[in-house]
Amino acid sequence: MENESTTFLGPDEFSSIGVELVRGVAEHLRHLRASPVTPNFEDPFFTSDRWFANIPKNREGAKEVFSEVLDLFKRYATLNGHPRFNAYITSAPSPAGALADLIASSFGQNVALWRIAPLVTLIERQTLRWLGELIGLSPATEGIFLGGGEAANLACLHVAIRAQATDWDVLKDGNMPRNRPRPTVYATREAHRWLVRAVRLMGLGTDSIRWVETDGDLRMETNALRALIADDRRNDRWPFLILATAGTVGTGAVDPIRVLSEIAAEESVWLHVDGAYGATAACVEDVPEDLHQLARADSVTMDPQKWMYAPIPAACAFIRRSGLLQSTFSTRPSYYYPGVGVPEDLSRSKDHDDLAEFGPENSRPASALKVWVILRLLGTAGCREAVALDIANASYLARRVRDFKQLELGPTGLSIATFRYNPVRGLPHLDRQLPNTRLNVVNGSIADLLQRSGEYFISTAQLGDRLYLRACFVNPRTGQEDIDRLVQLAADHGDTLAEVPQSSPS
């Protein structure tokens, strides 16, 4: 017992500190709106000597340590759950999800084998079925939780090349054996950067990517895709995968999934949909029709950490054809499966899946638990309502931007809206003084000012030769009053930076 109390927190101390921490976090959430979104980035704290100190020689009191940790987070963390944090596709974490994480961590769940995590294995399987149902996938679709969107997309690419390479054994010979045509992936430059890292990790190299043109809505241009595939077949390349994006990071554009699925079938090419952000919106009716075509894809990813309000990490990979995940990733080491002279029903978990066999990760956190809890608390109706509210916020921002003569609306999609400060619209005589390059500097400075001041946190999007301010709404705490404040601040900061008289909405 003494050993436990010195190595771990004892039950009484854990209970006492835990209660105080939950109260402290609850108090923080109660006053969240009144807090700055960001800390002072210039605070000497961030460069102080404490970050270069050695590991403590002696034990520190648990109560004091955790009290300091909570205080540090309150003072120095960027508040991603703040109503005015609308920058990246990182949803405000649900407190319910945080409590679920506490339970999973406290019970030390490693969802690798059925026998060491039977309950959470069942929860993960059920959660995957529920998510698939929510976004319109076939009940036969297989899935797995992974550490993030990049890991999920990489896993799908690995399954895809293995499934498509019928002339050689990818698992034995590798992805690009000698004297074989170069495997080729088709994507637009609006796709997420995970693709570049994935082809590097897979040994394919960035020359394996063929960048397809986009149309006026920043969606993949299907005629250009057909032409590239035809050209590549004539030039000793092997088209094996089309990457469609369901909700691009920059503008929320949704590629033409239905037509792309037809091209993929005609060309015997795998269609993968990166729905890390936008797949969740398939549960809502009033979204681009192509979001309701996800079941046509060979593989789909979605991140509940992006638009299901789950704390990080929580990402999923779905494969339409049953059996491919396990046959691609299973290794069956003897320390898990002692097979020599041991009956099959003793060497594996009979009638249950060992989820480490279905993906690239062996030690696996119980990421599904928090999503399972959130889905139960929201239900299908609640999910639709929350996602629809985020989309409505983007539409409201677009309407408010139009009220300001010096603000200009850019491309919008799903829960993302882009706009920029452009006083030339209201003051044409400034045209020569504020060319496009100057406007880019002004808009980048607006975003920087908002972030550093703690007033608001949005990001930017480079679209062609124009830099836009970009707001992404995956936060049910954000209200119209926050959006009103954002557009007013953007206009005021822009007027100051551009040295033009401040003006009110038209």
Side-chain angles (χ1 to χ4, degrees):
M1 182 64 73
E2 180 183 351
N3 214 15
E4 179 182 334
S5 64
T6 56
T7 306
F8 299 110
L9 296 180
D12 292 340
E13 194 173 21
F14 175 79
S15 175
S16 174
I17 293 173
V19 167
E20 288 304 310
L21 284 179
V22 169
R23 285 176 177 166
V25 172
E27 191 67 14
H28 159 70
L29 294 175
R30 185 173 291 112
H31 300 288
L32 186 62
R33 178 173 289 281
S35 304
V37 185
T38 55
N40 176 8
F41 295 130
E42 307 304 323
D43 193 303
F45 168 82
F46 290 109
T47 54
S48 67
D49 290 342
R50 71 171 289 162
W51 304 116
F52 301 93
N54 295 327
I55 185 173
K57 184 176 181 180
N58 299 313
R59 295 188 181 95
E60 299 183 29
K63 183 176 181 180
E64 291 73 22
V65 169
F66 282 104
S67 177
E68 184 194 24
V69 169
L70 181 59
D71 181 63
L72 289 175
F73 269 74
K74 287 182 176 180
R75 294 172 62 190
Y76 297 113
T78 293
L79 304 180
N80 294 0
H82 196 286
R84 294 181 180 177
F85 182 92
N86 305 134
Y88 307 111
I89 310 175
T90 303
S91 63
S94 163
L99 291 177
D101 267 347
L102 171 63
I103 294 173
S105 299
S106 300
F107 279 80
Q109 298 299 282
N110 177 3
V111 198
L113 304 179
W114 158 261
R115 292 192 177 193
I116 63 174
L119 171 64
V120 187
T121 297
L122 292 175
I123 287 174
E124 179 163 337
R125 281 304 196 206
Q126 185 174 60
T127 306
L128 288 162
R129 288 196 298 272
W130 286 357
L131 289 173
E133 178 184 352
L134 188 70
I135 64 175
L137 301 183
S138 162
T141 303
E142 285 191 336
I144 191 76
F145 268 84
L146 291 164
E150 297 210 17
N153 281 303
L154 176 60
C156 288
L157 252 67
H158 184 45
V159 171
I161 196 167
R162 185 246 167 179
Q164 294 290 94
T166 56
D167 294 339
W168 77 90
D169 185 348
V170 163
L171 302 185
K172 181 170 68 73
D173 301 325
N175 291 324
M176 205 161 63
R178 293 180 179 178
N179 303 319
R180 296 282 183 180
R182 174 183 284 277
T184 305
V185 179
Y186 301 86
T188 76
R189 293 195 182 274
E190 297 301 310
H192 192 279
R193 68 174 181 177
W194 70 260
L195 176 61
V196 171
R197 294 208 282 224
V199 294
R200 289 173 178 169
L201 285 168
M202 293 173 67
L204 299 176
T206 53
D207 281 350
S208 66
I209 303 174
R210 292 280 268 166
W211 299 110
V212 187
E213 296 174 6
T214 54
D215 61 19
D217 295 320
L218 299 176
R219 306 164 77 230
M220 185 179 288
E221 216 295 315
T222 55
N223 288 330
L225 171 65
R226 291 182 189 274
L228 282 176
I229 292 176
D231 183 64
D232 287 342
R233 292 201 188 279
R234 290 190 296 267
N235 289 282
D236 201 33
R237 295 176 74 108
W238 174 52
F240 87 93
L241 185 136
I242 299 168
L243 168 60
T245 303
T248 58
V249 174
T251 65
V254 178
D255 282 328
I257 295 171
R258 182 184 62 79
V259 177
L260 293 178
S261 70
E262 295 169 355
I263 296 173
E266 294 166 7
E267 297 287 350
S268 298
V269 175
W270 185 282
L271 176 62
H272 172 63
V273 175
D274 175 7
Y277 159 50
T280 305
C283 71
V284 178
E285 290 185 6
D286 191 19
V287 292
E289 175 57 28
D290 281 293
L291 273 180
H292 299 303
Q293 307 297 320
L294 296 177
R296 292 173 174 263
D298 295 290
S299 56
V300 178
T301 54
M302 73 174 297
D303 287 13
Q305 70 189 25
K306 284 186 167 63
W307 210 355
M308 285 295 298
Y309 319 108
I312 295 171
C316 309
F318 291 102
I319 305 294
R320 183 172 63 179
R321 196 191 316 170
S322 178
L324 280 180
L325 275 171
Q326 187 173 20
S327 63
T328 299
F329 291 106
S330 178
T331 54
R332 298 183 57 78
S334 61
Y335 46 81
Y336 284 160
Y337 304 105
V340 180
V342 178
E344 176 68 14
D345 61 341
L346 296 180
S347 67
R348 64 176 295 127
S349 303
K350 187 178 181 182
D351 299 327
H352 295 287
D353 293 326
D354 293 327
L355 296 185
E357 289 198 304
F358 290 78
E361 298 172 335
N362 188 65
S363 296
R364 305 180 64 254
S367 299
L369 176 62
K370 55 199 167 195
V371 183
W372 189 67
V373 167
I374 291 169
L375 288 173
R376 292 183 62 187
L377 293 177
L378 287 179
T380 303
C383 291
R384 289 172 177 161
E385 181 181 345
V387 171
L389 174 62
D390 290 328
I391 295 173
N393 276 338
S395 298
Y396 180 73
L397 173 58
R399 293 198 300 274
R400 291 294 288 120
V401 164
R402 294 189 182 98
D403 292 336
F404 286 75
K405 289 182 178 180
Q406 69 270 56
L407 298 181
E408 178 180 36
L409 186 65
T412 64
L414 299 181
S415 65
I416 295 175
T418 65
F419 64 104
R420 69 175 188 153
Y421 178 81
N422 182 9
V424 175
R425 294 181 66 243
L427 302 169
H429 65 277
L430 293 176
D431 193 18
R432 293 183 180 179
Q433 299 176 39
L434 288 171
N436 206 46
T437 51
R438 170 65 175 146
L439 285 176
N440 288 347
V441 173
V442 170
N443 281 282
S445 298
I446 292 171
D448 184 64
L449 276 173
L450 290 172
Q451 292 178 11
R452 288 181 177 276
S453 67
E455 297 171 292
Y456 220 109
F457 203 122
I458 59 172
S459 61
T460 57
Q462 184 74 45
L463 304 175
D465 64 348
R466 296 180 177 184
L467 186 73
Y468 285 85
L469 301 171
R470 173 187 169 279
C472 176
F473 299 97
V474 283
N475 189 338
R477 296 189 179 107
T478 302
Q480 291 186 352
E481 68 275 20
D482 299 303
I483 298 169
D484 291 340
R485 181 65 175 155
L486 170 60
V487 291
Q488 187 67 63
L489 284 169
D492 290 347
H493 284 318
D495 287 343
T496 301
L497 289 163
E499 299 179 344
V500 300
Q502 289 200 8
S503 57
S504 300
S506 58

